[in-house]
Amino acid sequence: MFSKNTSIDARQDNLMDNAAMLAAVLNTVTDAIITMSQYGIVQSFNRSAERMFGYSADEVVGQNVKMLMPDPYYSEHDGYLKHYLSTGNKKVIGVGREVQAKRKDGKVFFMELNVNEMTISGVTMFVGTIRDISDRKSAEQDLKDNQASLQAIVDNTVDGLITINEVGRVETFNKACEVLFGYKTAEVIGNNVKMLMPEPYHSEHDGYLKNYHTSGTKKIIGSGRQVEGKKKDGTIFPMDLSISEVDIKGKKIYSGIIRDITELQEAQQRLAAVLDNTVDGLITIDENGCIEHYNKACEAIFGFNAREAVGQNVKILMPEPYHSEHDGYLKNYHNTGSKKIIGSGREVVGLRKNGSTFPLDLSVSEVNVQGRKLYSGIVRDISVRKKAEADIKQANSELEEFAYRTSHDLRSPLISSIGLLDIVTHYIQQEETDSALASIGLIQVSLGKLEDLVKDILTITKVQHAEEDTQCINTQLFIDDTIDKIRHMPNFERLDIRYDLRFNGMLYLPKSPFALIIENLLTNAVKYQDLTKSNSFIRISTYSSKINFVLEVSDNGLGIPKDQRQNLFKMFKRFHPKTSFGSGLGLYLIKKSVDKLNGQLNFEDVESETRFVVVLPLNEVQST
C-alpha cells in the first residue's frame, strides 16, 4: 500500500513539475499566450499577456475573451464560436492573422493572432498566441511605398517555439515549427534538436552545450542571431533565432523562438545589389580603418576590385598626406571625440590603383551596429566637374581678354579709317586726286584688317559652340584640296611641299574643326616663311598608331621666339607683327579645334624646323 501511494505521489510530482515547466515556458516567451474554453472563457493568461493588455491574470481568467476585443470583433465573437461549434467552419482557428485588440485602458492596438484548437480529456479548448505589432505596423506604414515586399514578409510571419532540455532533446515543438521544418511534432519530440540543423551547426551543437555547462560561456543564449535551419526534405533556409534559458526547480530548459527570414534575406540581398550598382561609391570601415564593404562603383572609381580592397586599411585609397595621417586621425577621434570629417562632406584627393590621384567628394557617417562602431563613406569622383570648373574659369579669363583685345583691335582700324576719310575729304577739296586715291587705298587695307578680325571672331564662336555631325574624310584628298586653296598666297611658289602620308584611311569626325586645323597650320607655314632662305619648305606627314591618328606639319620658316613660347596658343599673340598682320588668333583657333576633337596639340623645335603635331584618339576617328 505504501509503495502504491509512493508511485502515485511520484506521478503527481511529475505532473506538477511538467505543469510548472510549461507555465514557466509560457511566462518567459515574448508573445502573449491565452487559453480559453470552447465557449470563449479565458482559462490562462500569461505574463506577456498581462503586460500587453494591462490586465492581471486574476482580472481576465474566467471572463469571456471578447473583453480584450474592440468592435466589430467584440460583437461577432460569440456568434463565431457558436457557428464554429455547430458547423466546424473555421475562420481564425489554425491560421495566423492580424486583428485589433483592446487594452484595459481602452486603447486599440494591432496584434498578430494565431489560434489553435486542442482537446484535453475530451474537452475542446483553444490556445491563442498573440504578438503586439503596433510598432511594426507603424513602421510598415512609414516604409509602405518602398518596402512593400518586406511588409508582406512581416505580415505573414508565424514564429516557431521549441523547448529543449539540458542535453538538447526537444520537449515542445509547436505547430508553427511544423510548418517551418516540415516535421510533425511526434517526429521531433525526444530527438536531439540538431536534427533541425545543417552543417556545421549539426556537428558543433552538442559540444557547444557541453562547453556551456562546464564553462558558462554563452554564444547564443540570451541574444538573437541569424543561423540556418534544415527542413525534413533537406532544404536549408536562413532563420532568426532567439534563445532564452529557464530554470525550473534546478532543471534547465532552453526555449527558442524561430522566424524564417528567407524573404527578408532576399530583400537584403536586393538592397545590397542596389547599393552595389549605385553611381556613387560606398565604403564601410571598422574602428581600425579596415574596409568591410566596397561596392562596384568603388571598383570603377579606384581600380581595386572588392577582393583586393576588403580587409585592407582604407588608407590604400589615399595619397599623401592623407595616407600617413589617417590612422592618427581615427585614434584621436576615438580618444577625444573630435570630428574633422565624420558627419560632414568635403572635397579630398583619392588614389587609384595605378597611382594616379583625382579629386573626390567624401561624406562620412558613423553607424553603431550591435555595439560596433562602423564608418560609412560615400565617395564621388568629381574629376569631370573640377575640369569643367577649371574650363569655365579659363573661359571667363579668356573672355575678359577677348573682350578687351577685340574692342581695341576693332576700334583701331575704325579710328584709322575715320581719320583717313578726313584726309581724303581734304584732298578731294584740294583736287589732289592721286593723294586722295592713296589714302583710300590705306582705308581699304585698314578695313580689310577689320574684316579679317571679324571673320576670326565668328570662327571662334563656331569652334566653341557649333555642333556638327561626323563625316567621312579622305585625309589625302583633304590635304590636296587645302593646298590648292592657298596657292594664291604671296610667296607660295617659293615653297617646296613635301609629303609623307602614311595614313591612307578614312577619318570619321566633324569636318569644320578638322578643316580649320589643316588650313591654319598650312597658311601659317606659308605666311611665316623666311624669305632670306632659298630652300623654304613645308613637310606634311600623317600616320597612325593603335590608338591615335597623327598629323605633323613642319617648316623651316621664322619659327617661334623662345621667350614667347609660353604664349603659343593664347589669343591675340603675334610673334612676328612686322612680317604679318594677322589677328593673332590662328594658333588659338587650332588649339580650340583640337580640344573639340578630344585631341592633343604639341609644338617642337627640331634643328631649325618648326613642327606642330596634332594627335587625335582613334576612339574618335576610325581607319578603314
Side-chain angles (χ1 to χ4, degrees), residues 416-444 447:
S416 176
S417 298
I418 292 169
L420 286 169
L421 283 173
D422 290 338
I423 294 173
V424 169
T425 301
H426 172 74
Y427 284 142
I428 291 174
Q429 290 172 346
Q430 298 297 320
E431 297 182 354
E432 297 179 19
T433 303
D434 291 341
S435 297
L437 290 174
S439 296
I440 290 172
L442 293 174
I443 292 173
Q444 289 175 330
L447 293 177

Side-chain angles (χ1 to χ4, degrees), residues 2-21 249:
F2 180 77
S3 175
K4 182 177 180 180
N5 287 338
T6 301
S7 177
I8 293 172
D9 290 343
R11 286 199 299 272
Q12 288 176 341
D13 286 345
N14 244 358
L15 289 173
M16 291 176 66
D17 285 348
N18 287 337
M21 178 186 70
K249 295 183 178 180

Side-chain angles (χ1 to χ4, degrees), residues 349-367:
V349 179
L351 177 68
R352 295 190 177 94
K353 182 179 179 180
N354 63 11
S356 62
T357 60
F358 64 100
L360 60 84
D361 258 343
L362 172 64
S363 177
V364 180
S365 57
E366 181 179 345
V367 184

Side-chain angles (χ1 to χ4, degrees), residues 74-346:
Y74 181 91
S75 302
E76 296 172 353
H77 184 260
D78 291 344
Y80 166 69
L81 269 184
K82 183 178 180 181
H83 176 74
Y84 169 62
L85 294 174
S86 61
T87 66
N89 185 14
K90 301 177 182 180
K91 291 184 180 180
V92 180
I93 296 169
V95 295
R97 64 182 296 190
E98 292 181 3
V99 295
Q100 289 182 315
K102 186 170 70 171
R103 304 187 201 276
K104 182 178 180 179
D105 61 8
K107 290 182 180 178
V108 176
F109 66 98
F110 280 98
M111 69 178 185
E112 192 173 73
L113 173 65
N114 293 280
V115 179
N116 288 311
E117 180 181 358
M118 60 184 179
T119 302
I120 299 176
S121 301
V123 178
T124 298
M125 295 182 64
F126 304 102
V127 58
T129 303
I130 299 167
R131 173 168 293 173
D132 184 345
I133 57 171
S134 302
D135 292 340
R136 191 186 79 191
K137 293 294 288 185
S138 177
E140 285 172 1
Q141 187 62 38
D142 293 339
L143 300 174
K144 186 176 181 180
D145 291 338
N146 59 357
Q147 292 186 339
S149 60
L150 180 60
Q151 181 178 348
I153 295 168
V154 175
D155 284 345
N156 294 282
T157 294
V158 178
D159 293 343
L161 172 63
I162 301 177
T163 60
I164 63 173
N165 62 18
E166 289 185 280
V167 294
R169 302 290 175 183
V170 178
E171 295 192 347
T172 64
F173 188 82
N174 71 349
K175 290 189 176 182
C177 288
E178 292 183 335
V179 174
L180 281 173
F181 292 96
Y183 289 99
K184 294 296 183 183
T185 300
E187 296 176 284
V188 180
I189 296 295
N191 290 305
N192 193 303
V193 72
K194 66 184 181 182
M195 69 182 288
L196 307 175
M197 305 174 185
E199 294 296 349
Y201 309 104
H202 182 93
S203 300
E204 296 173 354
H205 184 262
D206 291 345
Y208 166 68
L209 269 182
K210 184 177 180 180
N211 177 69
Y212 170 60
H213 294 149
T214 56
S215 68
T217 301
K218 300 178 181 180
K219 291 184 178 180
I220 303 176
I221 296 171
S223 62
R225 65 183 297 188
Q226 290 185 9
V227 293
E228 289 182 331
K230 183 178 178 182
K231 298 180 184 288
K232 183 178 180 179
D233 62 7
T235 302
I236 309 299
F237 68 98
M239 64 183 191
D240 218 12
L241 174 64
S242 177
I243 298 179
S244 56
E245 180 180 354
V246 183
D247 191 293
I248 302 177
K249 295 183 178 180
K251 178 184 177 183
K252 286 187 173 67
I253 65 168
Y254 307 98
S255 63
I257 303 293
I258 300 166
R259 177 174 295 175
D260 185 345
I261 58 169
T262 301
E263 292 188 50
L264 179 59
Q265 191 173 81
E266 289 174 357
Q268 291 172 337
Q269 291 170 350
R270 288 195 294 272
L271 177 60
V274 170
L275 294 177
D276 268 346
N277 291 280
T278 56
V279 175
D280 291 339
L282 176 63
I283 303 174
T284 303
I285 64 172
D286 64 15
E287 287 186 281
N288 300 313
C290 290
I291 298 171
E292 293 194 355
H293 181 77
Y294 181 91
N295 72 349
K296 289 182 180 178
C298 287
E299 294 183 335
I301 291 172
F302 292 99
F304 291 97
N305 61 43
R307 291 189 303 276
E308 295 172 305
V310 172
Q312 300 294 320
N313 192 300
V314 73
K315 66 185 180 183
I316 67 169
L317 309 177
M318 305 173 186
E320 295 296 350
Y322 307 104
H323 183 94
S324 299
E325 295 173 353
H326 184 261
D327 291 345
Y329 167 67
L330 268 183
K331 184 177 180 181
N332 179 68
Y333 171 62
H334 295 151
N335 292 336
T336 67
S338 175
K339 300 177 181 179
K340 292 183 179 179
I341 302 177
I342 296 169
S344 63
R346 65 185 296 187

Side-chain angles (χ1 to χ4, degrees), residues 415-599:
I415 291 171
S416 176
S417 298
I418 292 169
L420 286 169
L421 283 173
D422 290 338
I423 294 173
V424 169
T425 301
H426 172 74
Y427 284 142
I428 291 174
Q429 290 172 346
Q430 298 297 320
E431 297 182 354
E432 297 179 19
T433 303
D434 291 341
S435 297
L437 290 174
S439 296
I440 290 172
L442 293 174
I443 292 173
Q444 289 175 330
V445 171
S446 184
L447 293 177
K449 292 180 183 179
L450 182 60
E451 181 183 18
D452 289 341
L453 180 60
V454 171
K455 286 180 180 178
D456 284 342
I457 292 171
L458 292 174
T459 302
I460 290 175
T461 303
K462 184 176 181 181
V463 167
Q464 291 182 335
H465 302 292
E467 295 295 331
E468 184 179 349
D469 293 334
T470 59
Q471 299 184 38
C472 179
I473 297 173
N474 184 312
T475 56
Q476 293 188 18
L477 292 177
F478 201 87
I479 291 171
D480 288 341
D481 289 344
T482 304
I483 292 293
D484 287 340
K485 288 179 183 179
I486 64 174
R487 288 184 184 278
H488 68 281
M489 293 183 67
N491 300 311
F492 179 85
E493 69 282 352
R494 298 182 68 257
L495 290 166
D496 177 17
I497 309 295
R498 304 173 185 178
Y499 298 94
D500 180 18
L501 306 180
R502 283 171 280 164
F503 181 81
N504 58 3
M506 306 292 288
L507 301 185
Y508 295 86
L509 72 172
K511 181 179 179 181
S512 295
F514 187 70
L516 190 147
I517 293 167
I518 300 291
E519 290 173 11
N520 275 272
L521 286 175
L522 294 179
T523 55
N524 276 354
V526 175
K527 191 171 12 175
Y528 293 104
Q529 61 180 288
D530 188 348
L531 299 179
T532 64
K533 295 179 179 179
S534 59
N535 62 335
S536 296
F537 67 83
I538 301 176
R539 181 169 55 250
I540 307 167
S541 302
T542 62
Y543 57 92
S544 64
S545 66
K546 291 183 179 180
I547 60 173
N548 294 319
F549 162 77
V550 182
L551 166 69
E552 294 183 0
V553 177
S554 306
D555 67 76
N556 63 342
L558 295 174
I560 307 296
K562 289 185 178 181
D563 61 347
Q564 292 293 316
R565 289 177 186 174
Q566 71 273 15
N567 299 319
L568 194 59
F569 301 117
K570 294 183 179 180
M571 291 188 294
F572 302 107
K573 299 301 179 183
R574 299 183 182 94
F575 304 112
H576 302 284
K578 295 181 179 179
T579 304
S580 175
F581 297 97
S583 64
L585 293 171
L587 290 176
Y588 174 81
L589 287 170
I590 295 172
K591 181 66 168 63
K592 288 299 179 183
S593 298
V594 172
D595 289 345
K596 189 163 188 177
L597 296 177
N598 297 321

